[in-house]
Amino acid sequence: MRSSGPSTGTSRREIRLVLEGRCCFYLHIGPQVHVLVCEPGDLVSVPQGVRRTFDMGAVPGLCVIRLFRDDYGWRGELTGEPLPDDFPRLDELLEAASEETR
């Protein structure tokens, strides 16, 4: 399952603690996109104002704690922009990493 596009991230900081499974953040900072694969024990803090895309992979098996300060809970602000096809997805990144360790 993949998000429908990067959220604007302008209204709040996003903090997640990965408990189980793997996920991937694509951080859109200026003209570059930084790829961050997260595993159990990783604590990720994405600053307010940073656009990001979140990928749980084709078969999500993810458990995270998401921390936020908002009386109404978390609400994504989707831009509607898809992640370009030339960006590697979480499943592709994990496959490439497993091939490197063989």
Side-chain angles (χ1 to χ4, degrees):
M1 172 184 267
R2 295 188 175 95
S3 90
S4 60
S7 58
T8 61
T10 57
S11 65
R12 66 188 58 84
R13 178 175 64 164
E14 182 172 352
I15 301 172
R16 294 185 191 212
L17 173 61
V18 180
L19 301 176
E20 198 173 292
R22 292 185 175 113
C23 59
C24 187
F25 276 97
Y26 301 84
L27 305 175
H28 305 255
I29 302 172
Q32 298 181 345
V33 176
H34 302 272
V35 180
L36 179 64
V37 175
C38 303
E39 299 182 324
D42 288 343
L43 178 65
V44 179
S45 177
V46 180
Q48 180 176 335
V50 173
R51 291 175 51 225
R52 65 266 194 187
T53 304
F54 183 70
D55 184 357
M56 295 185 288
V59 181
L62 184 65
C63 180
V64 300
I65 295 175
R66 184 170 45 208
L67 305 171
F68 50 86
R69 294 170 69 179
D70 185 329
D71 292 340
Y72 302 102
W74 184 86
R75 289 174 286 186
E77 299 170 14
L78 301 179
T79 65
E81 301 169 25
L83 187 64
D85 289 334
D86 57 344
F87 281 65
R89 301 300 200 258
L90 175 62
D91 298 323
E92 296 169 287
L93 293 167
L94 295 176
E95 178 65 27
S98 71
E99 288 176 4
E100 288 181 11
T101 59
R102 291 181 195 166

Coordinates of all heavy atoms in Angstrom, one line a residue:
M1 N 0.8 -1.2 0.0 CA 0.0 0.0 0.0 C 0.9 1.2 0.0 O 1.8 1.3 0.8 CB -0.9 0.0 1.2 CG -1.7 1.3 1.4 SD -2.6 1.3 2.9 CE -4.1 0.6 2.3
R2 N 0.6 2.2 -0.9 CA 1.4 3.4 -0.9 C 0.4 4.6 -0.8 O -0.7 4.5 -1.1 CB 2.1 3.5 -2.3 CG 3.1 2.4 -2.5 CD 3.9 2.6 -3.7 NE 4.9 1.5 -3.7 CZ 4.8 0.4 -4.4 NH1 3.7 0.1 -5.0 NH2 5.7 -0.5 -4.4
S3 N 1.0 5.7 -0.3 CA 0.1 6.8 -0.2 C -0.1 7.3 -1.6 O 0.6 7.0 -2.5 CB 0.8 7.9 0.7 OG 1.6 8.8 -0.1
S4 N -1.1 8.1 -1.7 CA -1.5 8.6 -3.1 C -0.6 9.8 -3.5 O -0.7 10.2 -4.6 CB -2.9 9.1 -3.1 OG -3.1 10.2 -2.2
G5 N 0.3 10.2 -2.7 CA 1.2 11.2 -3.0 C 1.8 11.9 -1.8 O 1.4 11.6 -0.7
P6 N 2.8 12.7 -2.0 CA 3.4 13.3 -0.8 C 2.5 14.2 -0.1 O 1.7 14.9 -0.7 CB 4.6 14.1 -1.4 CG 4.5 14.1 -2.9 CD 3.4 13.1 -3.2
S7 N 2.5 14.2 1.2 CA 1.7 15.1 2.0 C 2.5 16.4 2.1 O 3.8 16.4 2.0 CB 1.4 14.6 3.4 OG 2.6 14.3 4.1
T8 N 1.9 17.5 2.2 CA 2.6 18.8 2.2 C 3.4 19.0 3.5 O 4.5 19.6 3.4 CB 1.6 20.0 2.1 OG1 0.8 20.0 3.3 CG2 0.8 20.0 0.9
G9 N 3.0 18.4 4.6 CA 3.7 18.5 5.8 C 3.9 19.9 6.3 O 4.8 20.2 7.1
T10 N 3.1 20.8 5.9 CA 3.3 22.2 6.3 C 2.7 22.6 7.7 O 3.2 23.5 8.3 CB 2.7 23.2 5.3 OG1 1.3 22.9 5.1 CG2 3.4 23.1 3.9
S11 N 1.8 21.8 8.1 CA 1.1 22.2 9.4 C 1.7 21.5 10.6 O 1.4 22.0 11.7 CB -0.4 21.9 9.2 OG -0.6 20.5 9.1
R12 N 2.4 20.4 10.5 CA 2.9 19.8 11.7 C 4.1 18.9 11.4 O 4.3 18.4 10.3 CB 1.8 19.0 12.3 CG 1.3 17.8 11.5 CD 0.1 17.1 12.1 NE -1.0 17.9 12.2 CZ -1.9 18.2 11.2 NH1 -1.7 17.7 10.0 NH2 -2.9 19.0 11.4
R13 N 4.8 18.7 12.5 CA 5.9 17.8 12.5 C 5.4 16.4 12.6 O 4.3 16.1 13.3 CB 6.9 18.1 13.6 CG 8.0 17.1 13.7 CD 9.0 17.6 14.8 NE 8.3 17.5 16.1 CZ 8.9 17.5 17.3 NH1 10.2 17.6 17.3 NH2 8.3 17.5 18.4
E14 N 6.0 15.4 12.0 CA 5.6 14.0 12.1 C 6.7 13.2 12.8 O 7.8 13.2 12.4 CB 5.3 13.4 10.7 CG 4.8 12.0 10.7 CD 4.3 11.6 9.3 OE1 4.3 12.4 8.4 OE2 4.0 10.4 9.2
I15 N 6.3 12.4 13.8 CA 7.2 11.6 14.6 C 6.6 10.1 14.6 O 5.5 9.9 14.9 CB 7.4 12.0 16.0 CG1 8.0 13.5 16.0 CG2 8.4 11.1 16.7 CD1 8.0 14.1 17.4
R16 N 7.4 9.2 14.2 CA 7.0 7.8 14.2 C 8.1 6.9 14.8 O 9.3 7.1 14.5 CB 6.7 7.3 12.8 CG 5.5 7.9 12.1 CD 5.2 7.3 10.8 NE 4.3 8.1 10.1 CZ 3.4 7.6 9.3 NH1 3.3 6.3 9.0 NH2 2.6 8.4 8.6
L17 N 7.7 5.9 15.6 CA 8.6 4.9 16.1 C 8.1 3.6 15.5 O 7.0 3.2 15.7 CB 8.4 4.8 17.7 CG 9.2 3.7 18.3 CD1 10.7 3.8 18.1 CD2 8.9 3.6 19.8
V18 N 9.0 3.0 14.8 CA 8.7 1.7 14.1 C 8.9 0.6 15.1 O 10.0 0.4 15.7 CB 9.6 1.5 12.9 CG1 9.2 0.2 12.2 CG2 9.4 2.6 11.9
L19 N 7.8 -0.2 15.3 CA 7.9 -1.3 16.3 C 8.0 -2.7 15.5 O 8.7 -3.6 16.0 CB 6.6 -1.4 17.1 CG 6.3 -0.2 17.9 CD1 4.9 -0.3 18.6 CD2 7.4 0.1 18.9
E20 N 7.4 -2.8 14.4 CA 7.4 -4.0 13.6 C 7.3 -3.7 12.1 O 6.6 -2.8 11.7 CB 6.2 -4.8 14.1 CG 6.2 -6.3 13.7 CD 5.0 -7.0 14.4 OE1 5.0 -7.1 15.6 OE2 4.1 -7.4 13.6
G21 N 8.0 -4.5 11.3 CA 7.9 -4.3 9.9 C 8.9 -3.3 9.4 O 9.7 -2.8 10.1
R22 N 8.7 -2.9 8.1 CA 9.6 -1.9 7.5 C 8.7 -0.9 6.7 O 7.6 -1.3 6.2 CB 10.6 -2.5 6.6 CG 11.6 -3.4 7.3 CD 12.6 -3.9 6.3 NE 13.7 -4.6 7.0 CZ 13.9 -5.9 6.9 NH1 13.1 -6.6 6.1 NH2 14.9 -6.4 7.6
C23 N 9.2 0.3 6.6 CA 8.5 1.3 5.8 C 9.5 2.2 5.2 O 10.7 2.1 5.5 CB 7.5 2.1 6.7 SG 8.3 3.0 8.1
C24 N 9.1 3.1 4.3 CA 10.0 4.0 3.7 C 9.4 5.4 3.6 O 8.2 5.6 3.2 CB 10.3 3.4 2.2 SG 11.5 4.3 1.3
F25 N 10.2 6.4 3.9 CA 9.9 7.8 3.8 C 10.7 8.3 2.6 O 11.9 8.0 2.5 CB 10.3 8.6 5.0 CG 9.2 8.6 6.1 CD1 9.4 7.7 7.2 CD2 8.2 9.4 6.1 CE1 8.5 7.7 8.2 CE2 7.2 9.4 7.1 CZ 7.4 8.5 8.2
Y26 N 10.0 9.1 1.8 CA 10.7 9.8 0.7 C 10.5 11.3 1.1 O 9.4 11.8 1.1 CB 10.0 9.6 -0.6 CG 10.0 8.2 -1.1 CD1 9.0 7.3 -0.6 CD2 11.0 7.7 -1.9 CE1 9.0 5.9 -1.0 CE2 11.0 6.3 -2.3 CZ 10.0 5.5 -1.8 OH 10.0 4.2 -2.2
L27 N 11.6 11.9 1.5 CA 11.6 13.3 2.0 C 12.0 14.2 0.9 O 13.0 14.2 0.3 CB 12.6 13.4 3.2 CG 12.4 12.5 4.3 CD1 13.5 12.6 5.3 CD2 11.0 12.6 4.9
H28 N 11.0 15.1 0.5 CA 11.2 16.0 -0.6 C 11.7 17.3 0.0 O 11.0 18.2 0.5 CB 9.8 16.3 -1.3 CG 9.2 15.0 -1.7 ND1 9.1 14.7 -3.0 CD2 8.5 14.0 -1.0 CE1 8.5 13.5 -3.2 NE2 8.1 13.1 -2.0
I29 N 13.1 17.5 -0.1 CA 13.7 18.6 0.4 C 14.4 19.4 -0.7 O 15.4 18.9 -1.3 CB 14.8 18.2 1.5 CG1 14.1 17.4 2.6 CG2 15.5 19.5 2.0 CD1 15.0 16.8 3.6
G30 N 13.9 20.6 -1.0 CA 14.3 21.3 -2.2 C 14.1 20.5 -3.4 O 13.1 19.8 -3.6
P31 N 15.1 20.5 -4.3 CA 15.0 19.8 -5.6 C 15.3 18.3 -5.4 O 15.1 17.5 -6.4 CB 16.0 20.4 -6.5 CG 17.1 20.9 -5.6 CD 16.3 21.3 -4.3
Q32 N 15.7 17.9 -4.3 CA 16.1 16.5 -4.0 C 15.1 15.7 -3.3 O 14.3 16.3 -2.5 CB 17.5 16.4 -3.3 CG 18.6 17.0 -4.0 CD 19.9 16.9 -3.2 OE1 19.9 16.6 -2.1 NE2 21.0 17.1 -3.9
V33 N 15.1 14.4 -3.5 CA 14.3 13.5 -2.7 C 15.2 12.5 -2.0 O 16.0 11.8 -2.6 CB 13.3 12.7 -3.5 CG1 12.5 11.7 -2.7 CG2 12.3 13.7 -4.2
H34 N 15.2 12.5 -0.6 CA 16.0 11.6 0.2 C 15.1 10.4 0.6 O 14.0 10.5 1.0 CB 16.5 12.3 1.4 CG 17.3 13.5 1.1 ND1 18.6 13.5 0.8 CD2 16.9 14.8 0.9 CE1 19.1 14.7 0.5 NE2 18.0 15.5 0.6
V35 N 15.7 9.2 0.4 CA 15.0 7.9 0.7 C 15.4 7.4 2.1 O 16.7 7.2 2.3 CB 15.2 6.9 -0.4 CG1 14.4 5.6 -0.1 CG2 14.8 7.5 -1.7
L36 N 14.5 7.2 3.0 CA 14.8 6.7 4.3 C 14.0 5.4 4.6 O 12.8 5.5 4.7 CB 14.5 7.8 5.3 CG 14.7 7.4 6.8 CD1 16.2 7.2 7.1 CD2 14.2 8.5 7.7
V37 N 14.7 4.3 4.6 CA 14.1 3.0 5.0 C 14.1 2.8 6.5 O 15.2 2.9 7.1 CB 14.7 1.8 4.2 CG1 14.1 0.5 4.7 CG2 14.6 2.0 2.7
C38 N 13.0 2.6 7.1 CA 12.9 2.5 8.5 C 12.6 1.0 9.0 O 11.8 0.4 8.3 CB 11.8 3.4 9.1 SG 12.1 5.1 8.6
E39 N 13.2 0.6 10.0 CA 13.1 -0.8 10.6 C 12.7 -0.7 12.1 O 12.8 0.4 12.6 CB 14.3 -1.6 10.4 CG 14.7 -1.7 8.9 CD 16.0 -2.5 8.7 OE1 16.9 -2.4 9.5 OE2 16.0 -3.3 7.7
P40 N 12.4 -1.8 12.7 CA 12.0 -1.8 14.1 C 13.1 -1.1 14.9 O 14.3 -1.4 14.8 CB 11.9 -3.3 14.5 CG 11.4 -3.9 13.2 CD 12.2 -3.2 12.1
G41 N 12.6 -0.2 15.8 CA 13.5 0.5 16.7 C 13.9 1.9 16.2 O 14.4 2.7 16.9
D42 N 13.6 2.2 14.9 CA 13.9 3.5 14.3 C 12.9 4.5 14.7 O 11.7 4.3 14.7 CB 13.9 3.4 12.8 CG 15.1 2.7 12.2 OD1 16.1 2.5 13.0 OD2 15.1 2.3 11.0
L43 N 13.4 5.7 15.1 CA 12.5 6.8 15.5 C 12.8 7.9 14.5 O 13.9 8.3 14.3 CB 12.9 7.3 16.9 CG 12.1 8.5 17.4 CD1 10.7 8.2 17.6 CD2 12.7 9.0 18.7
V44 N 11.7 8.3 13.8 CA 11.8 9.2 12.7 C 11.1 10.5 13.1 O 9.9 10.4 13.5 CB 11.3 8.7 11.4 CG1 11.4 9.7 10.3 CG2 12.0 7.4 11.0
S45 N 11.7 11.6 12.9 CA 11.1 12.9 13.1 C 11.2 13.7 11.8 O 12.3 14.1 11.5 CB 11.7 13.7 14.3 OG 11.2 14.9 14.4
V46 N 10.1 14.0 11.1 CA 10.1 14.7 9.9 C 9.7 16.1 10.3 O 8.6 16.3 10.8 CB 9.2 14.1 8.9 CG1 9.2 15.0 7.6 CG2 9.5 12.7 8.6
P47 N 10.5 17.1 10.0 CA 10.2 18.5 10.4 C 9.0 19.1 9.7 O 8.6 18.7 8.6 CB 11.4 19.3 10.0 CG 12.5 18.3 9.8 CD 11.9 17.0 9.4
Q48 N 8.3 20.0 10.4 CA 7.2 20.7 9.8 C 7.7 21.4 8.5 O 8.8 21.9 8.4 CB 6.7 21.8 10.8 CG 5.6 22.6 10.3 CD 5.1 23.5 11.4 OE1 5.3 23.3 12.6 NE2 4.5 24.6 11.0
G49 N 6.9 21.3 7.5 CA 7.2 22.0 6.2 C 7.9 21.1 5.2 O 8.0 21.5 4.1
V50 N 8.3 19.9 5.6 CA 8.9 19.0 4.7 C 7.9 18.1 4.0 O 7.2 17.3 4.7 CB 10.0 18.1 5.4 CG1 10.6 17.1 4.5 CG2 11.1 19.0 5.9
R51 N 7.8 18.1 2.7 CA 6.9 17.2 2.0 C 7.5 15.8 2.0 O 8.7 15.6 2.0 CB 6.7 17.7 0.5 CG 6.0 19.0 0.4 CD 5.9 19.5 -1.0 NE 5.5 18.5 -1.9 CZ 6.0 18.3 -3.1 NH1 7.1 18.9 -3.5 NH2 5.5 17.4 -3.9
R52 N 6.6 14.8 2.2 CA 7.1 13.4 2.3 C 6.0 12.5 1.7 O 4.8 12.8 1.7 CB 7.4 13.0 3.7 CG 6.2 13.0 4.6 CD 6.2 14.2 5.4 NE 5.3 14.2 6.5 CZ 5.0 15.3 7.2 NH1 5.5 16.4 6.8 NH2 4.3 15.3 8.2
T53 N 6.5 11.3 1.2 CA 5.7 10.2 0.8 C 6.1 9.1 1.7 O 7.2 8.9 2.1 CB 6.0 9.9 -0.7 OG1 5.9 11.0 -1.5 CG2 5.1 8.8 -1.2
F54 N 5.1 8.3 2.1 CA 5.2 7.2 3.0 C 4.8 5.9 2.2 O 3.8 5.8 1.7 CB 4.4 7.4 4.2 CG 4.5 6.3 5.3 CD1 5.7 6.2 6.0 CD2 3.5 5.5 5.5 CE1 5.8 5.3 7.0 CE2 3.6 4.5 6.5 CZ 4.7 4.4 7.2
D55 N 5.7 4.9 2.2 CA 5.5 3.6 1.5 C 5.5 2.5 2.5 O 6.6 2.3 3.2 CB 6.5 3.5 0.4 CG 6.3 2.2 -0.5 OD1 5.4 1.4 -0.2 OD2 7.1 2.1 -1.4
M56 N 4.5 1.7 2.6 CA 4.5 0.5 3.5 C 4.7 -0.8 2.7 O 4.7 -1.8 3.3 CB 3.1 0.4 4.2 CG 2.8 1.5 5.1 SD 1.3 1.3 6.0 CE 0.1 1.6 4.7
G57 N 5.0 -0.7 1.4 CA 5.2 -1.9 0.6 C 3.9 -2.5 0.1 O 2.8 -2.1 0.5
A58 N 4.1 -3.5 -0.8 CA 3.0 -4.2 -1.4 C 2.1 -5.0 -0.4 O 0.9 -5.1 -0.6 CB 3.5 -5.0 -2.5
V59 N 2.8 -5.5 0.6 CA 2.1 -6.3 1.6 C 2.5 -5.8 3.0 O 3.5 -6.2 3.6 CB 2.5 -7.8 1.5 CG1 1.7 -8.6 2.6 CG2 2.3 -8.4 0.1
P60 N 1.7 -4.8 3.4 CA 2.1 -4.1 4.7 C 2.1 -5.1 5.9 O 1.1 -5.9 6.0 CB 1.0 -3.0 4.9 CG 0.4 -2.9 3.5 CD 0.6 -4.2 2.8
G61 N 3.1 -5.0 6.7 CA 3.1 -5.7 7.9 C 3.8 -4.8 8.9 O 4.8 -5.1 9.5
L62 N 3.2 -3.7 9.1 CA 3.8 -2.6 9.8 C 3.1 -2.3 11.1 O 1.8 -2.2 11.1 CB 3.8 -1.4 8.9 CG 4.5 -0.1 9.4 CD1 6.0 -0.3 9.5 CD2 4.2 1.0 8.4
C63 N 3.8 -2.0 12.2 CA 3.2 -1.5 13.4 C 4.1 -0.3 13.9 O 5.3 -0.5 14.1 CB 3.2 -2.6 14.5 SG 2.5 -2.0 16.1
V64 N 3.5 0.9 13.9 CA 4.2 2.1 14.3 C 3.4 2.8 15.4 O 2.2 2.7 15.5 CB 4.5 3.0 13.2 CG1 5.4 2.4 12.1 CG2 3.3 3.6 12.6
I65 N 4.2 3.6 16.2 CA 3.5 4.6 17.1 C 3.8 5.9 16.4 O 4.9 6.3 16.1 CB 4.2 4.5 18.5 CG1 3.9 3.2 19.1 CG2 3.6 5.7 19.3 CD1 4.6 3.0 20.5
R66 N 2.7 6.6 16.2 CA 2.8 7.9 15.6 C 2.4 9.0 16.7 O 1.4 8.9 17.3 CB 1.8 8.0 14.4 CG 1.9 9.3 13.7 CD 1.2 9.4 12.4 NE -0.2 8.8 12.5 CZ -0.8 8.2 11.5 NH1 -0.2 8.1 10.3 NH2 -2.0 7.7 11.6
L67 N 3.3 9.9 16.9 CA 3.1 10.9 17.9 C 2.8 12.2 17.2 O 3.4 12.6 16.2 CB 4.4 11.1 18.7 CG 4.9 9.8 19.4 CD1 6.3 10.1 20.0 CD2 4.0 9.3 20.4
F68 N 1.8 12.9 17.8 CA 1.4 14.2 17.3 C 0.8 15.1 18.4 O 0.3 14.5 19.4 CB 0.5 14.1 16.1 CG -0.7 13.2 16.3 CD1 -1.9 13.6 16.9 CD2 -0.6 11.9 16.0 CE1 -2.9 12.8 17.1 CE2 -1.7 11.0 16.2 CZ -2.8 11.5 16.8
R69 N 0.7 16.4 18.1 CA 0.1 17.3 19.1 C -1.0 18.0 18.3 O -0.8 19.0 17.7 CB 1.1 18.3 19.6 CG 2.1 17.6 20.5 CD 3.2 18.5 20.8 NE 2.8 19.6 21.7 CZ 3.6 20.5 22.1 NH1 4.8 20.6 21.8 NH2 3.1 21.5 23.0
D70 N -2.2 17.4 18.3 CA -3.4 18.0 17.6 C -4.6 17.4 18.3 O -4.8 16.2 18.4 CB -3.3 17.5 16.2 CG -4.4 18.2 15.3 OD1 -5.5 18.4 15.8 OD2 -4.1 18.4 14.1
D71 N -5.5 18.3 18.7 CA -6.7 17.8 19.4 C -7.6 16.9 18.5 O -8.4 16.2 19.1 CB -7.6 19.0 19.8 CG -6.9 19.8 20.9 OD1 -6.0 19.3 21.6 OD2 -7.2 21.0 21.1
Y72 N -7.5 17.0 17.2 CA -8.3 16.2 16.3 C -7.6 15.0 15.8 O -8.2 14.3 15.0 CB -8.8 17.1 15.2 CG -9.5 18.3 15.7 CD1 -8.9 19.5 15.7 CD2 -10.8 18.2 16.1 CE1 -9.6 20.6 16.2 CE2 -11.5 19.3 16.6 CZ -10.9 20.5 16.6 OH -11.6 21.6 17.1
G73 N -6.4 14.7 16.2 CA -5.7 13.6 15.7 C -5.0 13.9 14.4 O -4.9 15.0 13.9
W74 N -4.3 12.9 13.8 CA -3.6 13.1 12.6 C -4.5 13.2 11.4 O -5.4 12.4 11.2 CB -2.6 12.0 12.4 CG -1.7 12.2 11.2 CD1 -0.5 12.9 11.2 CD2 -1.9 11.7 9.9 NE1 0.0 12.9 9.9 CE2 -0.8 12.2 9.1 CE3 -2.9 11.0 9.2 CZ2 -0.7 11.9 7.8 CZ3 -2.7 10.7 7.9 CH2 -1.6 11.2 7.2
R75 N -4.2 14.2 10.5 CA -4.9 14.3 9.3 C -3.9 14.7 8.2 O -3.2 15.7 8.3 CB -5.9 15.5 9.3 CG -7.1 15.1 10.2 CD -8.0 16.3 10.4 NE -7.3 17.2 11.3 CZ -7.8 18.3 11.8 NH1 -9.0 18.7 11.4 NH2 -7.1 19.1 12.6
G76 N -3.8 13.8 7.2 CA -2.8 14.0 6.1 C -3.3 15.2 5.2 O -4.5 15.4 5.1
E77 N -2.3 15.9 4.7 CA -2.6 16.9 3.7 C -2.0 16.5 2.4 O -0.9 16.8 2.1 CB -2.0 18.2 4.2 CG -2.6 18.7 5.5 CD -1.8 19.9 6.1 OE1 -1.0 20.5 5.3 OE2 -2.0 20.2 7.2
L78 N -2.8 15.7 1.6 CA -2.2 15.2 0.4 C -2.2 16.2 -0.7 O -3.1 17.0 -0.9 CB -3.1 14.0 -0.1 CG -3.2 12.8 0.9 CD1 -4.1 11.7 0.4 CD2 -1.8 12.3 1.3
T79 N -1.1 16.1 -1.5 CA -0.9 17.0 -2.6 C -1.5 16.5 -3.9 O -1.8 17.2 -4.8 CB 0.6 17.3 -2.9 OG1 1.2 16.1 -3.4 CG2 1.3 17.8 -1.7
G80 N -1.7 15.1 -3.9 CA -2.3 14.5 -5.1 C -1.2 14.2 -6.1 O -1.4 13.6 -7.2
E81 N 0.1 14.5 -5.8 CA 1.2 14.2 -6.7 C 1.7 12.8 -6.5 O 2.0 12.4 -5.4 CB 2.3 15.1 -6.5 CG 2.0 16.6 -6.6 CD 3.2 17.5 -6.1 OE1 4.3 17.0 -6.1 OE2 2.9 18.6 -5.7
P82 N 1.7 11.9 -7.5 CA 2.2 10.6 -7.3 C 3.8 10.6 -7.2 O 4.4 11.5 -7.7 CB 1.8 9.8 -8.6 CG 1.7 10.9 -9.6 CD 1.3 12.1 -8.9
L83 N 4.3 9.6 -6.5 CA 5.8 9.5 -6.5 C 6.2 9.1 -7.9 O 5.6 8.2 -8.5 CB 6.2 8.4 -5.5 CG 7.7 8.2 -5.2 CD1 8.2 9.5 -4.6 CD2 7.9 7.0 -4.4
P84 N 7.2 9.7 -8.5 CA 7.6 9.4 -9.9 C 8.0 7.9 -10.0 O 8.5 7.3 -9.1 CB 8.8 10.3 -10.1 CG 8.6 11.4 -9.2 CD 8.0 10.8 -8.0
D85 N 7.7 7.3 -11.2 CA 7.9 5.9 -11.4 C 9.4 5.5 -11.4 O 9.7 4.4 -11.2 CB 7.3 5.5 -12.8 CG 5.8 5.5 -12.7 OD1 5.3 5.3 -11.6 OD2 5.2 5.6 -13.8
D86 N 10.3 6.5 -11.5 CA 11.7 6.2 -11.5 C 12.3 6.1 -10.1 O 13.5 5.8 -10.0 CB 12.5 7.2 -12.4 CG 12.3 8.6 -12.0 OD1 11.4 8.9 -11.3 OD2 13.1 9.4 -12.5
F87 N 11.5 6.4 -9.1 CA 12.0 6.2 -7.7 C 11.8 4.8 -7.3 O 10.7 4.2 -7.5 CB 11.2 7.2 -6.8 CG 11.6 8.6 -6.8 CD1 11.5 9.3 -8.0 CD2 12.2 9.2 -5.7 CE1 11.9 10.6 -8.0 CE2 12.6 10.5 -5.8 CZ 12.4 11.2 -6.9
P88 N 12.8 4.2 -6.6 CA 12.6 2.8 -6.1 C 11.6 2.8 -5.0 O 11.6 3.7 -4.1 CB 14.0 2.5 -5.6 CG 14.7 3.8 -5.3 CD 14.1 4.8 -6.2
R89 N 10.8 1.8 -5.0 CA 9.8 1.6 -4.0 C 10.4 0.7 -2.9 O 11.5 0.1 -3.0 CB 8.6 0.9 -4.5 CG 7.9 1.6 -5.7 CD 7.4 3.0 -5.2 NE 6.4 3.5 -6.1 CZ 6.6 4.4 -7.0 NH1 7.8 4.9 -7.2 NH2 5.6 4.9 -7.7
L90 N 9.7 0.7 -1.7 CA 10.2 -0.1 -0.6 C 10.6 -1.5 -0.9 O 11.7 -2.0 -0.6 CB 9.2 0.0 0.6 CG 9.6 -0.9 1.8 CD1 10.9 -0.4 2.5 CD2 8.4 -0.9 2.8
D91 N 9.7 -2.2 -1.6 CA 10.0 -3.6 -1.9 C 11.2 -3.7 -2.8 O 12.0 -4.7 -2.6 CB 8.8 -4.2 -2.6 CG 7.5 -4.2 -1.8 OD1 7.7 -4.4 -0.5 OD2 6.4 -4.0 -2.3
E92 N 11.4 -2.8 -3.7 CA 12.6 -2.9 -4.6 C 13.9 -2.6 -3.8 O 14.9 -3.2 -4.0 CB 12.5 -1.8 -5.7 CG 11.4 -2.1 -6.7 CD 11.2 -0.9 -7.6 OE1 10.6 0.1 -7.1 OE2 11.5 -1.1 -8.8
L93 N 13.8 -1.7 -2.8 CA 15.0 -1.3 -2.0 C 15.4 -2.5 -1.1 O 16.5 -2.8 -0.9 CB 14.7 -0.1 -1.1 CG 14.5 1.2 -1.9 CD1 13.9 2.3 -1.0 CD2 15.9 1.7 -2.5
L94 N 14.3 -3.2 -0.5 CA 14.6 -4.3 0.3 C 15.2 -5.5 -0.5 O 16.1 -6.2 0.0 CB 13.3 -4.8 1.1 CG 12.8 -3.7 2.1 CD1 11.5 -4.2 2.7 CD2 13.8 -3.4 3.2
E95 N 14.7 -5.7 -1.7 CA 15.2 -6.8 -2.5 C 16.7 -6.5 -2.9 O 17.5 -7.4 -2.8 CB 14.4 -6.9 -3.8 CG 14.9 -8.0 -4.8 CD 14.8 -9.4 -4.2 OE1 14.0 -9.7 -3.4 OE2 15.7 -10.2 -4.7
A96 N 17.0 -5.3 -3.2 CA 18.4 -4.9 -3.6 C 19.3 -5.1 -2.4 O 20.4 -5.6 -2.5 CB 18.4 -3.5 -4.1
A97 N 18.8 -4.7 -1.2 CA 19.7 -4.9 0.0 C 19.9 -6.3 0.3 O 21.0 -6.7 0.7 CB 19.0 -4.2 1.2
S98 N 18.9 -7.2 0.1 CA 19.1 -8.6 0.4 C 20.0 -9.3 -0.6 O 20.8 -10.2 -0.3 CB 17.8 -9.4 0.4 OG 17.2 -9.5 -0.8
E99 N 20.0 -8.8 -1.9 CA 21.0 -9.3 -2.9 C 22.4 -8.9 -2.6 O 23.3 -9.7 -2.8 CB 20.6 -8.8 -4.3 CG 19.3 -9.4 -4.8 CD 18.9 -8.8 -6.2 OE1 19.6 -8.0 -6.7 OE2 17.8 -9.2 -6.6
E100 N 22.6 -7.7 -2.0 CA 23.9 -7.3 -1.6 C 24.5 -8.1 -0.5 O 25.7 -8.3 -0.4 CB 23.9 -5.8 -1.2 CG 23.7 -4.9 -2.3 CD 23.7 -3.4 -1.9 OE1 24.1 -3.1 -0.7 OE2 23.4 -2.6 -2.7
T101 N 23.7 -8.7 0.4 CA 24.2 -9.5 1.5 C 24.4 -10.9 1.2 O 24.9 -11.7 2.0 CB 23.2 -9.4 2.7 OG1 22.0 -9.9 2.4 CG2 23.1 -7.9 3.2
R102 N 24.0 -11.3 0.0 CA 24.2 -12.7 -0.4 C 25.6 -13.0 -0.9 O 26.3 -12.3 -1.3 CB 23.2 -13.1 -1.6 CG 21.8 -13.1 -1.2 CD 20.9 -13.5 -2.3 NE 19.6 -13.1 -2.0 CZ 18.6 -13.1 -2.8 NH1 18.8 -13.3 -4.1 NH2 17.4 -12.8 -2.4

